[in-house]
Amino acid sequence: MTDDPDREFDAQPTVCPFCGVGCSIEYAGNGTTGGTDGPVNERGEICPKGAAAFDVVAHEERLTEPLVREHGHTVTAPWDVAMDRAVEGLRSVVAEHGPDAVQFFASSNCTNEENYVFQKLARVLGTNNVDNCARLCHASTVAAMGERLGAGAMTNTLDDLATTDCLLVTGANPAEQHPVAFRSYLLPAVQDGATLVHVDPRANDTTDAADIHLPVRPGYDIQLLNAMTAVLLKEGLVDESFVAERTTGREALADHLADLDVAATAREAGVDPDDLRAAARAYGEADAAAAVTGMGMSQHRSGTDNVHALLNLALLTGNVGRPGTGVNPLRGQNNVQGAGDVGALPGVLPGYEPVTDPEARERVAAEWSVEPPAEPGLTEVAATHRFGEDVHAAVVFGENPAVTEPNATDVAAAFERLDCCVVIDLFETRTAELADVVLPGSSWAEKAGTVTNTDRRVLRMRPNADRPGDARRDLDVLTELGRRLTDRPGAFRYDGPEAVFDELTRVSPLYAGMSYEGIGDGAQRWPFPADAESGTDVLHAEAFATGDRTAPLTPVDPVPPADELGPDELVLTTGRVLQQFNSGALTRRSPRLMAMRDEDTLRIHPEDAAARGIEDGDPVVVSNDRGRVRVPAEVTAAVRKGTVFCTFHYAEPLVNALTGDALDPVAEIPEFKHSAVAVAPAPATEAAAEDAEAD
Ligand SMILES: Nc1nc2c(c(=O)[nH]1)N[C@H]1C(S)=C(S)[C@@H](COP(=O)(O)OP(=O)(O)OC[C@H]3O[C@@H](n4cnc5c(=O)[nH]c(N)nc54)[C@H](O)[C@@H]3O)O[C@H]1N2
Ligand SMILES: Nc1nc2c(c(=O)[nH]1)N[C@H]1C(S)=C(S)[C@@H](COP(=O)(O)OP(=O)(O)OC[C@H]3O[C@@H](n4cnc5c(=O)[nH]c(N)nc54)[C@H](O)[C@@H]3O)O[C@H]1N2
Ligand code: SF4
Ligand SMILES: [Mo]
């Protein structure tokens, strides 16, 4: 705790700032947070991150004054000086190159109201260049599900998953990444007899609860899912009446898979053919089977196609539109679902209405008095690749792309090519170090507003603390930027977050009818209102959200990963651990979380380690032509042979120095889950030098 005598703290139910489960928490005294009974955590359950959430609120490194860059160094500055600098810098880029020379990075860690105002700011300024880190996350899932079913969100609810007979969890590790969803909803289903199939190249806490583990080779999910689909077709596990009534394209899919050799394809995907058949039967024979999908599926050059292959499985077995079924992406941050819902995406307006649709633009214009541009804007990573070419300024709100985008050394260099970069954050992050102006915002505990959790529930946040020093409310910073940057200052005058939410409900059909009062201590779920009280639990029941009664079955061909493996190279795949969160900007500052896990390791299979003379705990160098990092080895048979695993939670080592620029062609999501790397013991001289430094 800082010893700021002016700060006041007060318990009020709000939403955990970390994952998309959306647990209710509140200030519990003495600088701690506690769980409080909420719509998701009905008995007040929380995980270690939720319990540590207050550590960052009163952290001594919180930014309490704006920073500006002077002669290459950041110095503190009063708000009026920093704001003037931000506004002049952005204005001069717009004057010289037009509004499309600015890229807006929205925040999945921030509220619906903040993200709504942020995308409005971009669009009133005249650009659709606004995106959020859903781009790095479930953009591919959203693309595939949006195209086939008409909505890129969980088809079912957490409550409903607790009633399923089979859980196919692929490319996700909910035991660590969505702990309360796992313990309070998924695990009870398993304890009730549901079969859990876990598809992951690495055994982890989710695998511990699984009946069948398929340790897929990273990048071979299409082969695995196609082989499972072939088993369903060959063994008569198709729901014929559902396929006849609710799908099209069965013949083409059957033809595409007719010659597939299940055993050979399973082996190509790195899994035992008998295990794969058992998994297909468990899924196909269950009365209700639900798929849960995560980053192992989405973060590939083939991310969109991976999810297309999964959708075939669900549609062929009639596992859509009923309780206990569906395709369920577990969403990342506490408001990544909402950031997309409110239009912080380059191709859609609030409520996912395409920017290319004249009627949707007119509906927005009726409220804003300005029509948003008709051309889709740039996606986040694609924009970074154009810094210094046609993008010359960036506004980064609650994101840390210098650590979390792929090929991070190039990303940092790209930020240096901008004429103006404005960051709004809580800490001086790597990205903030590259900015011209850094504005100190408000943490989760210092704001009111709403967030939308992974199962489409809009929940209310309430302040539990005063802001430190001169830090300002994020919403106030954004509305001031709107008033000063655009020629529609009136469009950015609000009485507070509730007025913003009310405008959102007028602009977005998805949120129409919701209100702060209606949400209260509970939640309202979109689409709203299907029943007057809460919203629609199971999507696609009578018709798909596309408006059609049928959805297509689609043949999917394997897509090779971008990096080809050289001799002796291994596949690096990346992911998360329970105790740390994303770039670690918050969790690395929590003493209690650091006490639980304070460094990254390279998980490597014993045979791969032995072949390189590496022993458990040895420092190793992981490298490719993009970068080189040092990290201690953790020799473990939990990771498959030929694959190594690291997180990206620590700015040191900067694991994203190794990941590549390849993007999925549809969703433009990066390939975080497959990079070719060489792994070798760290040179003894380097280790000695480092030990001396540590002493
Ligand atoms: N503790 C914690 N919780 C979090 C976060 C956090 O940083 N820490 N972040 C939040 C965010 S933003 C998100 S998006 C979610 C993500 O939640 P998850 O999707 O669960 O996250 P990951 O650990 O990135 O990836 C899941 C699993 O994919 C596996 N995998 C790797 N490559 C492949 C592959 O090619 N195929 C398959 N099938 N699997 C593969 C990895 O081994 C890993 O166990 O978590 C959220 N919750
Ligand atoms: N190698 C590899 N890289 C990955 C991934 C992977 O699996 N592997 N996963 C990707 C995924 S799924 C994601 S979502 C991204 C995450 O990428 P980012 O969104 O860049 O990561 P975060 O750490 O969540 O960054 C949040 C930033 O917001 C700030 N912040 C938090 N709360 C607030 C607030 O209330 N107000 C303000 N103003 N600032 C706030 C934090 O201090 C932090 O700097 O990383 C991606 N990168
Ligand atoms: S499960 Fe997610 S929302 Fe719940 S306490 Fe943990 S991090 Fe927070
Ligand atoms: Mo994410």
Side-chain angles (χ1 to χ4, degrees):
M1 286 276 284
T2 50
D3 43 15
D4 181 346
D6 299 330
R7 292 192 75 186
E8 287 185 17
F9 303 95
D10 185 21
Q12 289 203 75
T14 189
V15 184
C16 172
F18 294 111
C19 87
V21 172
C23 298
S24 299
I25 62 171
E26 65 183 15
Y27 183 59
N30 296 324
T32 64
T33 2
T36 170
D37 308 358
V40 182
N41 54 336
E42 289 167 2
R43 297 179 307 280
E45 319 86 288
I46 48 172
C47 79
K49 287 185 301 305
F54 228 85
D55 291 2
V56 299
V57 175
H59 197 277
E60 58 192 11
E61 285 165 20
R62 275 288 298 276
L63 290 170
T64 54
E65 292 171 278
L67 306 173
V68 296
R69 206 190 313 206
E70 296 282 1
H71 313 293
H73 297 284
T74 43
V75 295
T76 56
W79 267 96
D80 52 348
V81 172
M83 264 295 186
D84 286 350
R85 179 82 77 89
V87 168
E88 281 157 24
L90 294 169
R91 273 220 178 125
S92 80
V93 167
V94 174
E96 193 174 338
H97 306 281
D100 286 334
V102 187
Q103 183 71 23
F104 288 83
F105 294 74
S107 181
S108 327
N109 297 286
C110 289
T111 64
N112 285 319
E113 292 75 2
E114 290 155 357
N115 281 291
Y116 174 79
V117 166
F118 193 72
Q119 59 84 39
K120 180 176 176 181
L121 163 59
R123 291 183 161 125
V124 173
L125 192 66
T127 181
N128 281 317
N129 285 351
V130 57
D131 203 2
N132 75 87
C133 72
R135 188 63 48 200
L136 311 176
C137 190
H138 266 305
S140 45
T141 319
V142 172
M145 292 180 70
E147 184 192 326
R148 301 272 288 282
L149 311 181
M154 273 181 71
T155 56
N156 291 55
T157 67
L158 291 174
D159 279 293
D160 185 276
L161 291 183
T163 68
T164 189
D165 302 309
C166 177
L167 278 163
L168 171 62
V169 177
T170 174
N173 174 15
E176 294 190 69
Q177 269 75 260
H178 299 89
V180 171
F182 186 75
R183 279 174 197 281
S184 301
Y185 297 92
L186 303 186
L187 217 44
V190 175
Q191 283 154 355
D192 261 5
T195 308
L196 173 59
V197 178
H198 193 214
V199 186
D200 195 310
R202 183 181 60 104
N204 48 49
D205 289 359
T206 302
T207 324
D208 288 346
D211 300 282
I212 304 171
H213 178 212
L214 302 178
V216 65
R217 270 170 83 181
Y220 285 76
D221 288 277
I222 294 176
Q223 284 87 334
L224 183 144
L225 293 165
N226 277 352
M228 282 178 72
T229 309
V231 172
L232 298 174
L233 286 162
K234 282 186 214 288
E235 300 193 4
L237 296 170
V238 173
D239 181 337
E240 295 297 349
S241 64
F242 185 89
V243 167
E245 280 174 39
R246 301 290 311 271
T247 72
T248 57
R250 189 230 167 107
E251 287 314 309
L253 181 67
D255 286 352
H256 183 250
L257 298 176
D259 297 330
L260 187 142
D261 178 336
V262 171
T265 311
R267 281 191 211 99
E268 191 194 352
V271 306
D272 181 274
D274 288 336
D275 289 348
L276 180 137
R277 285 195 190 91
R281 287 173 197 139
Y283 183 85
E285 287 167 3
D287 288 338
V292 170
T293 181
M295 300 298 99
M297 289 275 287
S298 64
Q299 292 173 332
H300 284 282
R301 184 159 76 140
S302 60
T304 304
D305 283 343
N306 287 350
V307 177
H308 277 304
L310 181 64
L311 288 168
N312 285 341
L313 223 59
L315 289 168
L316 211 52
T317 51
N319 278 308
V320 183
R322 284 189 293 128
T325 67
V327 174
N328 297 284
L330 291 177
R331 300 305 303 258
Q333 292 104 333
N334 70 342
N335 199 35
V336 63
Q337 181 66 56
D341 293 351
V342 306
L345 293 170
V348 292
L349 298 169
Y352 301 99
E353 311 249 286
V355 295
T356 48
D357 175 357
E359 276 175 35
R361 289 200 307 276
E362 263 169 45
R363 197 163 31 243
V364 168
E367 191 69 47
W368 297 357
S369 324
V370 190
E371 191 166 305
E375 281 289 305
L378 294 173
T379 60
E380 211 170 284
V381 185
T384 312
H385 293 169
R386 289 158 74 156
F387 280 6
E389 289 167 25
D390 48 1
V391 179
H392 299 280
V395 182
V396 184
F397 171 45
E399 249 198 63
N400 194 1
V403 174
T404 54
E405 281 197 9
N407 202 354
T409 313
D410 278 12
V411 171
F415 268 91
E416 296 283 10
R417 289 196 290 273
L418 293 175
D419 295 338
C420 174
C421 175
V422 178
V423 166
I424 308 160
D425 207 297
L426 311 177
F427 294 104
E428 194 173 1
T429 61
R430 276 265 171 128
T431 310
E433 285 166 14
L434 302 166
D436 300 291
V437 181
V438 184
L439 303 172
S442 45
S443 81
W444 64 274
E446 297 142 16
K447 55 175 77 172
T450 60
V451 290
T452 307
N453 86 333
T454 188
D455 70 354
R456 299 178 269 114
R457 273 182 279 185
V458 183
L459 309 160
R460 276 178 65 180
M461 295 191 73
R462 299 177 179 84
N464 281 245
D466 281 350
R467 278 159 283 124
D470 277 341
R472 287 197 182 164
R473 272 187 213 95
D474 287 324
L475 191 63
D476 293 344
V477 177
L478 301 178
T479 49
E480 182 171 347
L481 282 174
R483 287 192 299 273
R484 294 191 52 186
L485 271 176
T486 70
D487 54 10
R488 289 282 187 288
F492 295 94
R493 282 200 191 97
Y494 296 98
D495 277 348
E498 189 169 4
V500 179
F501 190 79
D502 288 346
E503 180 176 314
L504 168 64
T505 64
R506 291 195 296 274
V507 169
S508 163
L510 215 51
Y511 283 48
M514 291 184 187
S515 68
Y516 273 25
E517 203 190 336
I519 299 167
D521 291 333
Q524 287 179 328
R525 173 178 276 133
W526 68 254
F528 185 86
D531 70 55
E533 301 239 313
S534 62
T536 310
D537 291 348
V538 178
L539 299 182
H540 319 300
E542 295 305 322
F544 291 97
T546 48
D548 295 338
R549 174 94 176 122
T550 61
L553 290 160
T554 308
V556 185
D557 285 319
V559 179
D563 272 11
E564 280 177 36
L565 282 195
D568 298 329
E569 282 190 326
L570 299 172
V571 174
L572 169 71
T573 192
T574 58
R576 295 161 161 81
V577 290
L578 170 69
Q579 304 83 354
Q580 294 291 324
F581 194 77
N582 291 354
S583 74
L586 305 188
T587 46
R588 270 186 291 113
R589 290 186 166 90
S590 161
R592 55 196 116 193
L593 292 173
M594 287 303 271
M596 294 169 79
R597 180 127 210 163
D598 67 355
E599 66 171 7
D600 212 350
T601 58
L602 184 82
R603 280 65 146 187
I604 182 167
H605 190 273
E607 288 179 36
D608 292 327
R612 289 163 180 77
I614 293 166
E615 287 184 27
D616 193 51
D618 283 355
V620 296
V621 169
V622 189
S623 61
N624 58 22
D625 54 13
R626 294 181 287 266
R628 178 180 191 277
V629 305
R630 263 178 64 116
V631 52
E634 182 180 331
V635 179
T636 165
V639 62
R640 57 174 294 131
K641 191 169 170 293
T643 297
V644 288
F645 175 92
C646 237
T647 80
F648 64 108
H649 299 309
Y650 306 84
E652 277 304 324
L654 185 60
V655 170
N656 273 324
L658 300 166
T659 50
D661 288 327
L663 300 178
D664 172 295
V666 179
E668 302 196 340
I669 193 171
E671 187 144 78
F672 286 124
K673 296 290 195 254
H674 186 287
S675 309
V677 292
V679 178
T685 46
E686 233 181 75
E690 215 156 89
D691 285 349
E693 213 169 277
D695 294 345

